[in-house]
Amino acid sequence: MKKLMLIFLFVPFMFACSQGDAASQPTHAEAIHDHDRCHLCGMMITKYPGPKGQLRLKSETIVPKFCSTRDMFNFALQPENQRQITQLKVHDMAVTDWEHPEDSAFIDAKSAWYVYGTSKKAVMGPAVASFATEEGATKFASEFGGAVLTYDQITIELLAGE
């Protein structure tokens, strides 16, 4: 009987600890609609070319979306935001159009490869072009210039031009 009472005492704690857990959040990317605005700068997301980004935050139902991967990184790399992020998504530019990236082309940002400093125009500063494979990033960089980087090589200092 004591064991049964202990189970009843701990069940509420098990549910409380699991609420807001990253595992309970969807892993798919959300669609970007014509009137969605960038979480960082407020610009209309679909009005501009280049890869976009989105992320999920602990205990939040809204999905912050960004007009560029650059804006997504500028948000995500802030120390106060880093610990709240459970998932980041970016477009695989090897499989979608630069002018109008498709929602079906979203991939995990942490495993993606990036090209920084390309001649391709995006929103507000140099593009941070995203790709599912190193091969895709290298091919893009050979055609449009830029340095091929991993997720961990994208820093606030790089984006600030330092």
Side-chain angles (χ1 to χ4, degrees), residues 8 11 28-29 34 60 78 87 91 111 145 156 161:
F8 285 121
V11 167
H28 67 279
D34 287 343
E60 293 289 335
Q78 297 298 320
Q87 182 182 82
H91 282 115
S111 62
I156 291 286

Side-chain angles (χ1 to χ4, degrees), residues 72-91:
M72 183 199 71
F73 273 111
N74 276 316
F75 178 87
L77 293 173
Q78 297 298 320
E80 65 273 16
N81 297 331
Q82 284 180 334
R83 65 180 173 269
Q84 298 301 318
I85 296 171
T86 60
Q87 182 182 82
L88 295 116
K89 297 281 185 180
V90 294
H91 282 115

